[in-house]
Amino acid sequence: MGHDSLHALEAAGGLDALYVEPGVSQASSTSGTGTPVTISANQNGDTEQVSAEARLHTITWDDDSALALIFSRTLDEDTAVAAASSDPEPEAAAAEPVLAPAPPQAGHADAEELGAILDTAAEGIIMFDAEGQIHSCNRSAEALFGYDGDELVMHNLADLFAPESRHGIFDYLASVKSSGVASLLDHGRETLGRVRQGGIIPLSVTMGRTRADGPNFFAVFRDLSQTRKNESELREARRLAERAANAKTDMLARISHELRTPLNAIIGFAEVMIGERFGTLGNERYVEYMKDIRASGERVIAIVNDLLDLSRIETGKLDLAFTSQNLNEMVESCVAVMQPQANRERI
């Protein structure tokens, strides 16, 4: 900032002598962390202003939160570099040293970095030519098919598929060759791959060109073995659940049959006694008791029917029938069932 030393900056007022304003970094917006700012300070009696780029970071210092203002370069240096690069004089150009290529900035990956990204991808990726001859692959492709990279590039694309799947794959490749950019809209194919040991694995394959009208193609492979296993387990679980539901329905049907026979006898004899077909009961209370017996039997049958309906609901086999109901009779039947218990509890 134009000061000879840290003490000179402190003598001029320290940080209070600097003007911090929001700024936009000349580098990529994804480079580094922190907030880009512009730092300026007046020198030589406030007649000359020096500016620089910096980034404001939040850091931990002595177990406490602090701010770090990290300077990158001055704007005057940028102007000087730009002027030197545009100097047309041959002598000045000859005097410039040959600099090594600068490392890529954050956010701009070179070929080596892209290769590292592809090697860590879960999907296998293979590049090949129009005849299917493999030229390169990532490590996931090596692991998927069981080949080393040097071995895999000695094979043709057809060697990676089961015989019954090769025709479909090369038809897919032919459509990629003819469709160009439209092939990007293709969601790929599901096919059978062949590994080095001779085994067969289910695969999802997506193909495309590395560049428009270029000679190279690529294929992205995704192993569907776990997906197929999960689908099989799901089908088996569904089958077991349906079998358990059917077993429960059968059991309820058997229970219903076993209960209906004695209940029908109880209800039938109760109706005979209520009608006093073979003589009077002798006491009016006996008639009321027989009506309660008949109502209780009918209630048990209704409960059994409800259990059967619940089982049909679970299996999706219940057909509903909407009919008019007499609410007075429904309330009276409920009261008749609950009245003895209410009497015992003095309700």
Side-chain angles (χ1 to χ4, degrees):
M1 300 308 298
H3 296 280
D4 295 333
S5 64
L6 179 61
H7 296 293
L9 175 59
E10 292 176 344
L15 291 176
D16 292 333
L18 305 178
Y19 299 95
V20 182
E21 298 175 341
V24 179
S25 173
Q26 297 294 328
S28 170
S29 60
T30 59
S31 62
T33 58
T35 303
V37 295
T38 300
I39 309 298
S40 58
N42 291 327
Q43 294 290 330
N44 300 329
D46 297 338
T47 59
E48 180 182 354
Q49 188 178 54
V50 180
S51 299
E53 286 186 356
R55 282 184 175 267
L56 190 61
H57 299 254
T58 300
I59 64 172
T60 301
W61 185 270
D62 287 341
D63 298 328
D64 199 1
S65 179
L67 294 176
L69 193 60
I70 301 179
F71 290 74
S72 55
R73 56 190 175 182
T74 65
L75 301 182
D76 292 339
E77 290 173 347
D78 289 343
T79 304
V81 170
S85 62
S86 60
D87 192 346
E89 295 184 7
E91 294 181 0
E96 286 291 331
V98 178
L99 300 178
Q105 296 178 344
H108 299 276
D110 58 13
E112 183 178 355
E113 290 174 323
L114 290 175
I117 294 173
L118 293 177
D119 279 337
T120 57
E123 291 80 8
I125 302 174
I126 290 177
M127 189 172 73
F128 53 93
D129 58 22
E131 302 301 323
Q133 186 60 42
I134 299 173
H135 295 307
S136 62
C137 64
N138 68 344
R139 293 178 182 175
S140 295
E142 297 176 10
L144 180 61
F145 293 102
Y147 293 95
D148 292 334
D150 294 338
E151 295 177 324
L152 194 55
V153 297
M154 298 174 62
H155 287 77
N156 190 276
L157 187 66
D159 299 333
L160 304 182
F161 296 95
E164 62 269 27
S165 299
R166 293 173 183 171
H167 180 73
I169 287 298
F170 279 95
D171 284 346
Y172 180 21
L173 178 58
S175 68
V176 171
K177 294 177 183 177
S178 60
S179 58
V181 177
S183 65
L184 297 176
L185 302 177
D186 198 309
H187 297 293
R189 303 286 189 276
E190 290 189 3
T191 183
L192 295 177
R194 188 175 68 175
V195 298
R196 180 180 183 180
Q197 295 78 6
I200 301 298
I201 56 174
L203 295 173
S204 171
V205 184
T206 303
M207 292 186 183
R209 289 182 182 269
T210 57
R211 63 179 62 186
D213 298 328
N216 294 321
F217 299 81
F218 68 88
V220 180
F221 298 87
R222 180 176 300 166
D223 188 357
L224 298 179
S225 300
Q226 187 62 40
T227 302
R228 293 288 184 268
K229 181 180 178 182
N230 293 340
E231 292 175 353
S232 176
E233 292 176 350
L234 183 61
R235 287 194 298 268
E236 179 65 16
R238 184 183 295 111
R239 187 183 66 83
L240 293 176
E242 291 175 352
R243 188 170 68 177
N246 292 333
K248 183 170 64 175
T249 302
D250 293 341
M251 182 190 68
L252 289 175
R254 291 176 183 272
I255 292 175
S256 172
H257 176 73
E258 296 298 331
L259 288 177
R260 285 177 187 275
T261 301
L263 283 173
N264 287 332
I266 293 172
I267 294 171
F269 287 132
E271 290 178 347
V272 170
M273 296 178 72
I274 291 171
E276 297 180 342
R277 296 181 184 179
F278 301 105
T280 61
L281 296 178
N283 192 314
E284 190 65 27
R285 285 191 176 183
Y286 290 154
V287 177
E288 295 300 323
Y289 290 160
M290 295 311 300
K291 290 181 179 179
D292 291 341
I293 292 173
R294 181 182 63 182
S296 297
E298 292 174 346
R299 176 171 171 77
V300 173
I301 289 182
I303 292 174
V304 172
N305 291 334
D306 289 343
L307 289 175
L308 291 174
D309 288 342
L310 286 174
S311 178
R312 294 190 187 99
I313 289 173
E314 289 180 351
T315 56
K317 299 177 180 179
L318 179 67
D319 295 327
L320 296 177
F322 293 92
T323 60
S324 299
Q325 298 293 318
N326 189 320
L327 296 183
N328 289 331
E329 293 180 358
M330 187 180 298
V331 172
E332 288 177 358
S333 64
C334 292
V335 170
V337 171
M338 301 304 298
Q339 192 66 58
Q341 181 179 350
N343 291 340
R344 286 194 300 269
E345 302 296 334
R346 297 185 178 181
I347 297 176

